[in-house]
């Protein structure tokens, strides 16, 4: 199980799918689930829905993770072929100067570099101020706008930091960009490929959603079509187990300490809030106990953290929701870090949870 997940994480984090451009990820998931589900289709907005019919009675319910990643989009190309770009979602800006990037245009992917002003010329004020996206450009080593267009690069091209999946000294620590949320998509794929229909109650509908990083609303259309009673939403979750974190009060979560159940979540600036339904919360805790998996719990309020669960709660007929995820360090940076034991633990909990028929 662990090695299958390791392989799939490496494959999925190599895909490029900035919010609104999830087609490559969707194609990978569709191929991985072919023959393991009863039906599968893509909504016009890009959401991929896969249904596995349980042989035991029960209501339709959803399990969901988002396909998109934070990144950048080319805004324009100047006459000399340099690319100017904007953020999509909330990627960390402080680590972008001098980084290699992958630019995906209409004709494929080409390498580039985010320019960095020479340290010799920086003013004292510039030394103290991180280089922002608005003051940055990408060099793709062409001499004109026309040359860039010949390569298929123009406004709307996707940009991600070139940060391939890397195993650390302890190979169970894995670093990559797009850990959020390809790891949880991989968990759903593995659960659907290994669960038998005889173990399931009702129709289990996997929703691989779009634009979560930019809108936290991409799953709404899927909920409106499927009209489930309840949904389990999977995501990665920031941790405080680093020198500049606070594990006692601010963020008492750590990697390698088990998957995390999010009891409630609130993003005040966006006006979004949701609390886990008590029956679903109890079912997750019971699944963790049955799977013999250590887990963490946290009420993630008054912070810029939110999952599609908040939007789903008000969609369709109103959905009872719960959220579980894999802890990660260095959120929304090109070097997000997870522990493979947390991934496997989350998968075990998800499989035990999906086997239970829940009567709300």
């Amino acid at each position: 199980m662990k090695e299958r997940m390791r392989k799939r994480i490496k494959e999925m984090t190599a895909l490029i799918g900035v919010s609104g451009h999830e087609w490559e990820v969707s194609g990978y998931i569709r191929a991985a689930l072919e023959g393991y589900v009863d039906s599968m289709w893509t909504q016009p907005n890009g959401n991929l829905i896969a249904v596995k019919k349980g042989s035991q009675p029960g209501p339709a319910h959803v399990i969901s993770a988002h396909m998109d990643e934070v990144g950048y989009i080319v805004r324009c190309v100047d006459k000399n072929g340099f690319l100017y770009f904007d953020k999509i979602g909330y990627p960390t800006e402080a680590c972008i100067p001098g980084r290699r990037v992958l630019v995906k245009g209409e004709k494929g992917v080409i390498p580039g570099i985010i320019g960095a002003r020479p340290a010799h010329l920086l003013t004292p004020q510039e030394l103290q101020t991180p280089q922002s996206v608005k003051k940055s450009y990408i060099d793709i080593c062409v001499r004109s706008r026309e040359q860039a267009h010949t390569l298929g690069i123009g406004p709307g091209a996707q940009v991600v930091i070139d940060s391939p999946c890397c195993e650390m000294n302890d190979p169970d620590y894995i670093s990559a960009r797009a850990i959020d949320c390809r790891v949880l998509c991989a968990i759903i794929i593995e659960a659907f490929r290994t669960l038998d229909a005889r173990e399931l109650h009702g129709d289990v509908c996997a929703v691989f959603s779009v634009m979560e990083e930019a809108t936290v609303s991409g799953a709404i259309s899927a909920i409106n079509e499927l009209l489930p009673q309840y949904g389990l939403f999977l995501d990665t979750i920031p941790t405080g187990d680093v020198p500049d974190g606070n594990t006692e009060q601010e963020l008492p979560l750590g990697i390698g300490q088990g998957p995390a159940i999010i009891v409630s979540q609130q993003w005040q600036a966006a006006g979004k809030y949701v609390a886990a339904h008590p029956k679903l919360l109890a079912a997750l805790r019971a699944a963790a106990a049955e799977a013999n998996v250590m887990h963490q719990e946290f009420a993630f309020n008054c912070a810029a953290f939110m999952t599609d669960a908040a939007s789903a709660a008000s969609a369709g007929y109103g959905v009872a929701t719960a959220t579980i995820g894999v802890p990660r360090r260095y959120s929304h940076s090109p070097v997000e870090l997870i522990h493979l034991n947390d991934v496997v633990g989350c998968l075990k909990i998800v499989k035990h949870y999906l086997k239970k028929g829940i009567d709300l």
Side-chain angles (χ1 to χ4, degrees):
M1 180 188 296
K2 179 182 283 190
E3 295 312 309
R4 286 199 306 271
M5 294 306 297
R6 185 192 305 275
K7 180 177 183 294
R8 198 170 295 283
I9 289 168
K10 289 180 178 180
E11 293 173 350
M12 296 197 74
T13 55
L15 305 174
I16 296 175
V18 176
S19 286
H21 302 76
E22 299 87 353
W23 316 292
E24 184 179 357
V25 185
S26 178
Y28 175 99
I29 295 171
R30 179 179 281 274
L33 288 179
E34 198 70 50
Y36 292 92
V37 295
D38 295 285
S39 59
M40 186 162 38
W41 68 96
T42 301
Q43 293 188 303
N45 68 350
N47 285 334
L48 176 63
I49 300 172
V51 178
K52 197 174 183 75
K53 293 182 176 294
S55 60
Q56 301 184 58
H61 55 285
V62 156
I63 179 170
S64 179
H66 65 88
M67 296 185 288
D68 60 317
E69 62 183 295
V70 298
Y72 310 91
I73 295 292
V74 172
R75 181 172 70 253
C76 63
V77 184
D78 75 8
K79 64 180 182 180
N80 296 314
F82 292 101
L83 315 181
Y84 293 85
F85 59 102
D86 292 312
K87 294 191 297 182
I88 300 297
Y90 294 90
T92 302
E93 290 186 69
C95 56
I96 63 172
R99 294 297 299 259
R100 287 189 294 270
V101 296
L102 301 174
V103 184
K104 186 174 184 181
E106 295 177 355
K107 297 181 180 180
V109 178
I110 66 168
I113 296 172
I114 297 177
R117 185 169 165 80
H120 316 74
L121 303 179
L122 294 176
T123 67
Q125 182 180 5
E126 287 174 328
L127 285 168
Q128 296 176 13
T129 306
Q131 180 176 314
S132 68
V133 166
K134 292 298 183 184
K135 294 185 177 181
S136 299
Y137 60 87
I138 297 171
D139 185 350
I140 57 171
C141 301
V142 297
R143 296 184 179 274
S144 68
R145 180 184 294 121
E146 290 71 27
Q147 277 190 295
H149 287 171
T150 298
L151 294 172
I153 305 301
Q158 299 177 74
V159 179
V160 296
I161 304 296
D162 187 3
S163 183
C165 189
C166 174
E167 294 169 332
M168 309 304 285
N169 181 56
D170 177 344
D172 282 348
Y173 286 89
I174 296 178
S175 169
R177 51 153 270 275
I179 287 287
D180 176 17
C181 190
R182 305 287 164 69
V183 170
L184 284 307
C185 290
I187 285 174
I188 297 176
I189 291 171
E190 182 68 11
F192 267 45
R193 285 172 64 99
T194 55
L195 282 170
D196 192 296
R198 291 170 295 183
E199 301 175 290
L200 302 177
H201 296 256
D203 293 351
V204 183
C205 309
V207 174
F208 300 94
S209 65
V210 299
M211 296 183 289
E212 191 270 356
E213 295 291 4
T215 70
V216 203
S217 301
I220 289 177
S221 61
I223 299 299
N224 289 342
E225 179 175 350
L226 296 169
L227 299 176
Q229 286 192 9
Y230 61 93
L232 178 62
F233 292 82
L234 312 184
D235 212 328
T236 51
I237 300 165
T239 66
D241 59 338
V242 289
D244 56 357
N246 183 338
T247 57
E248 293 299 320
Q249 296 178 359
E250 182 183 36
L251 195 50
L253 298 173
I255 65 173
Q257 299 178 37
I261 296 172
I262 301 303
V263 178
S264 64
Q265 50 193 285
Q266 178 179 223
W267 186 359
Q268 287 183 316
K272 289 180 177 289
Y273 170 77
V274 68
H277 190 284
K279 288 191 176 181
L280 302 188
L281 187 58
L284 280 176
R285 289 168 175 160
E290 291 165 8
N292 195 28
V293 173
M294 173 179 65
H295 75 280
Q296 308 172 78
E297 294 191 15
F298 184 50
F300 213 152
N301 303 317
C302 300
F305 174 85
M306 187 55 59
T307 72
D308 275 333
S311 297
S314 301
Y317 294 136
V319 179
T321 70
T323 301
I324 188 171
V326 172
R328 76 184 186 275
R329 290 178 184 164
Y330 319 126
S331 301
H332 286 196
S333 81
V335 289
E336 293 183 322
L337 183 70
I338 57 170
H339 196 285
L340 204 51
N341 287 347
D342 294 336
V343 177
V344 172
C346 188
L347 172 59
K348 289 179 179 178
I349 292 174
V350 165
K351 290 180 68 172
H352 277 264
Y353 175 92
L354 292 179
K355 291 178 185 179
K356 297 291 182 182
I358 301 174
D359 182 9
L360 298 178

